[in-house]
Amino acid sequence: MKTKKPVTLALVGAWHVHTNGFIKEFQKTRSEAAVFKRVWDTDPERGQRFAKMLQATWTPDFSAIFNDPEIDGVMIEAETSRHKELIQQAAAAGKHIFTDKILAPSVSEAEDILAHTNKAGIVCCVSHESLTRPDYRYAKRLMDEGWFGDVVSYYFRRSHGHAKTDRLPSSWFDPATAGGGALIDLGVHGISLAVYLFGEPDHINSHLRSLVKKNVEDTATVSMTYQHLPVIAVSHTNLVSSVMDNYLEIIGTDGSLYVIGDRDPELTLYDKHGEKSSVSSADLTETDLIPLIRWIDVLTGTDTETSLHEAGLSFSAGVSVVRTVSAAYQNSRP
């Protein structure tokens, strides 16, 4: 990397519900490695709030960010419907790009984004948060070591009850803005992990429902199969559960892994002899760095761009996830 240290960044949009958490993690761990100079958002009040948080300048015109030669990279947390427009302009200006999942609401937009960013030769990262969790990376390590034998079943569930509350912005339930509902947002966690572990599926079955009767689905189950693998991979998500619920189950011919919970998860193994054992935090040697922090580390030269590709955080990986999600939506239609 040839960018200076610390790097100068801008926040382009603050629509996504993860923005606040990402910024807090940045301030806690990387505030000396990077500085935010400008903030733009479609909602001036929200944008000014984040500008104050970052001690940055509120900018009412996002083009000023792309035209600012001092800005090395942009963190795009804007509405999903604006990803293509903003990412392509950032790429044309030579800015490195971090964006929140999903990369784009359609395959054509995602492929256009990838073409533009590849041509620009910039460092890009899409935030598939499941892929950096130590417990899920532990599962990947077991797969790479052949511990499971042949994986025959993958089941991932993530759910909460936010569709029954006002915790999500109304625009989140607008398909023209968000691109969809539970599947394209929360459901991407399980799908991105499945794509990372097994690749793009050859066949998909999906079932979507709206239990609270809003404009998008609040419940989605996607089943994926592969011609070259025996696994059946299922990703379920819903926004109407009574509790925050995270669960991962991987079953193989020689062993199985069960991961229950979000913070301080419980991990249980069954080996090929049926012997049960627990996995302690000491066994989770994988680095716990969220995608934003990993992207900043690449820009500052403390990590390599190759690590983003290996972790499934590249835009090319993001296109694979978009293809899978789009196929799931298409399969759900009569």
Side-chain angles (χ1 to χ4, degrees):
M1 289 301 306
K2 297 181 180 180
T3 54
K4 59 181 179 293
K5 204 180 203 181
V7 293
T8 301
L9 305 176
L11 176 62
V12 181
W15 172 82
H16 206 287
V17 293
H18 288 161
T19 310
N20 191 61
F22 290 166
I23 293 299
K24 286 183 177 180
E25 184 65 19
F26 158 77
Q27 292 177 324
K28 183 171 69 174
T29 65
R30 294 297 187 275
S31 59
E32 294 183 0
V35 59
F36 279 84
K37 181 181 180 182
R38 293 176 181 264
V39 174
W40 169 84
D41 190 35
T42 51
D43 181 343
E45 181 179 352
R46 182 174 60 199
Q48 289 167 18
R49 186 171 69 251
F50 274 91
K52 182 178 181 180
M53 182 188 306
L54 290 165
Q55 297 182 325
T57 300
W58 157 249
T59 303
D61 180 5
F62 63 77
S63 63
I65 291 174
F66 302 138
N67 292 329
D68 188 337
E70 292 186 354
I71 292 175
D72 302 305
V74 293
M75 176 183 175
I76 296 178
E77 293 287 299
E79 295 84 343
T80 305
S81 59
R82 302 201 66 160
H83 278 192
K84 179 183 176 182
E85 169 194 15
L86 296 171
I87 291 173
Q88 289 189 354
Q89 290 194 38
K95 310 300 183 186
H96 304 294
I97 301 168
F98 169 91
T99 192
D100 215 337
K101 52 104 178 128
I102 191 168
L103 181 60
S106 70
V107 175
S108 61
E109 290 180 77
E111 290 177 342
D112 281 348
I113 285 172
L114 183 61
H116 278 75
T117 52
N118 281 346
K119 182 178 179 180
I122 53 180
V123 176
C124 297
C125 175
V126 58
S127 186
H128 291 148
E129 298 95 293
S130 288
L131 308 189
T132 59
R133 284 182 48 145
D135 47 351
Y136 299 163
R137 294 200 65 78
Y138 176 76
K140 176 66 163 60
R141 173 153 60 94
L142 291 181
M143 279 195 60
D144 291 344
E145 294 172 354
W147 185 87
F148 291 106
D150 290 328
V151 175
V152 296
S153 176
Y154 163 99
Y155 180 76
F156 183 102
R157 181 177 67 240
R158 181 162 294 187
S159 59
H160 55 61
H162 293 352
K164 301 180 295 184
T165 71
D166 61 358
R167 293 189 63 180
L168 296 172
S170 58
S171 59
W172 196 96
F173 298 99
D174 175 14
T177 300
L183 171 58
I184 203 171
D185 185 80
L186 199 64
V188 168
H189 291 293
I191 289 175
S192 63
L193 183 57
V195 169
Y196 182 55
L197 295 176
F198 311 115
E200 292 185 45
D202 297 300
H203 186 73
I204 289 176
N205 283 316
S206 58
H207 303 278
L208 312 183
R209 298 187 69 182
S210 178
L211 302 181
V212 296
K213 305 304 180 186
K214 294 189 177 181
N215 293 326
V216 294
E217 79 283 352
D218 53 45
T219 304
T221 301
V222 179
S223 175
M224 296 162 277
T225 55
Y226 308 78
Q227 290 183 358
H228 64 295
L229 294 172
V231 65
I232 297 176
V234 176
S235 174
H236 170 78
T237 186
N238 75 72
L239 312 180
V240 292
S241 66
S242 58
V243 294
M244 179 77 76
D245 180 29
N246 287 5
Y247 180 73
L248 171 65
E249 171 189 293
I250 299 178
I251 298 175
T253 54
D254 292 339
S256 303
L257 169 68
Y258 305 85
V259 182
I260 302 174
D262 183 15
R263 296 178 177 85
D264 193 25
E266 174 187 333
L267 283 77
T268 303
L269 293 172
Y270 285 89
D271 66 19
K272 60 184 177 181
H273 303 295
E275 294 295 324
K276 177 182 178 181
S277 60
S278 297
V279 180
S280 69
S281 57
D283 294 314
L284 305 181
T285 57
E286 287 72 15
T287 304
D288 186 10
L289 295 177
I290 64 172
L292 174 66
I293 301 305
R294 298 190 69 152
W295 176 69
I296 290 174
D297 285 352
V298 174
L299 298 188
T300 58
T302 57
D303 202 349
T304 66
E305 189 174 0
T306 300
S307 71
L308 296 179
H309 289 271
E310 293 176 345
L313 304 177
S314 67
F315 275 16
S316 58
V319 172
S320 293
V321 173
V322 173
R323 288 196 192 105
T324 305
V325 170
S326 297
Y329 275 117
Q330 184 175 0
N331 176 267
S332 70
R333 299 186 183 105

